[in-house]
Amino acid sequence: DAGVIQSPRHEVTEMGQEVTLRCKPISGHDYLFWYRQTMMRGLELLIYFNNNVPIDDSGMPEDRFSAKMPNASFSTLKIQPSEPRDSAVYFCASSLGIGAFFGQGTRLTVV
Amino acid sequence: AQSVAQPEDQVNVAEGNPLTVKCTYSVSGNPYLFWYVQYPNRGLQFLLKYITGDNLVKGSYGFEAEFNKSQTSFHLKKPSALVSDSALYFCAVRDTGTASKLTFGTGTRLQVTL
């Protein structure tokens, strides 16, 4: 298996634009997590899914953030409109329930 | 609520010396505990986990960790550090009685020098 695949690896966008981050989890994993990493706040869990259903979205910072998982092999995290303070590395991870395997991350820069 | 504390922002050690990266946790039930390593511009890589059983857990790259229930600690150790071990290390916890949410510590930067 290729592991958790995220795209794009890097994204630079202007403030106010919509940004969509994509994730393909490891086949067979039934949990999917979205994390955000910044120098100031470290690793924050934004939302996680179990069997494609959102379980806990309490970490989603604002209504500008939304996440979907239309099927077991794909998830998106959308920011609309984006702001400079959203600049961070966003990680997707998948799991069979105990640990988690991380993707390489998407480095988002909002200018 | 579950939480993890990594009290040291950075640990410096000379190559060949033993290293310890500290982690303490708080959960309401029994813990699952994990260590991850992050190299620059990379995702987190799994090192080892404690689920149950033997308190000394061995993982990748010669790392091990000791679960201490009375001290609620799960320190990461390696007998002989390598320069290539220099990276950011994260401890994480999950309460066995709750859903699968992993809570991470703030990370400890390990710097191994010649």
Side-chain angles (χ1 to χ4, degrees):
Chain A
D1 198 315
V4 176
I5 299 173
Q6 291 185 246
S7 63
R9 288 293 310 276
H10 302 273
E11 176 79 43
V12 180
T13 190
E14 291 185 347
M15 183 173 64
Q17 296 298 306
E18 177 180 296
V19 176
T20 299
L21 311 182
R22 296 172 176 81
C23 175
K24 177 177 167 40
I26 293 173
S27 177
H29 282 190
D30 56 355
Y31 285 88
L32 184 139
F33 306 85
W34 282 100
Y35 285 88
R36 177 171 69 175
Q37 186 178 32
T38 61
M39 290 290 292
M40 293 298 295
R41 301 172 71 94
L43 263 173
E44 304 172 273
L45 177 64
L46 300 177
I47 184 172
Y48 77 96
F49 297 83
N50 178 219
N51 292 321
N52 314 337
V53 176
I55 302 300
D56 183 351
D57 65 354
S58 59
M60 296 285 262
E62 300 170 33
D63 291 345
R64 299 184 295 107
F65 285 70
S66 63
K68 294 182 180 179
M69 192 166 185
N71 57 62
S73 59
F74 184 65
S75 177
T76 60
L77 178 68
K78 186 177 293 187
I79 308 172
Q80 165 64 13
S82 57
E83 296 182 3
R85 61 194 167 119
D86 301 331
S87 298
V89 181
Y90 291 81
F91 288 105
C92 175
S94 71
S95 168
L96 276 173
I98 295 181
F101 294 85
F102 282 75
Q104 300 273 46
T106 296
R107 182 174 296 278
L108 173 65
T109 303
V110 183
V111 297
Chain B
Q2 55 194 41
S3 65
V4 175
Q6 293 182 243
E8 303 152 316
D9 289 337
Q10 180 155 329
V11 169
N12 299 306
V13 64
E15 187 175 57
N17 284 358
L19 69 87
T20 299
V21 182
K22 295 179 181 176
C23 170
T24 58
Y25 66 90
S26 174
V27 295
S28 55
N30 292 314
Y32 292 146
L33 293 156
F34 307 83
W35 276 101
Y36 287 82
V37 60
Q38 185 180 29
Y39 297 98
N41 300 313
R42 303 292 299 273
L44 277 70
Q45 296 177 33
F46 170 80
L47 271 182
L48 52 79
K49 67 178 183 280
Y50 171 81
I51 303 297
T52 187
D54 201 349
N55 289 343
L56 185 63
V57 178
K58 294 188 183 296
S60 308
Y61 313 121
F63 284 93
E64 58 189 28
E66 186 165 13
F67 170 62
N68 186 317
K69 188 172 183 177
S70 63
Q71 297 185 6
T72 61
S73 67
F74 189 57
H75 302 331
L76 181 70
K77 300 182 180 186
K78 187 174 181 182
S80 179
L82 298 172
V83 171
S84 57
D85 293 330
S86 298
L88 189 57
Y89 290 80
F90 290 93
C91 182
V93 68
R94 182 204 140 185
D95 190 328
T96 59
T98 64
S100 287
K101 182 168 71 172
L102 273 179
T103 298
F104 284 84
T106 51
T108 298
R109 186 163 301 281
L110 174 66
Q111 188 70 45
V112 183
T113 54
L114 290 171

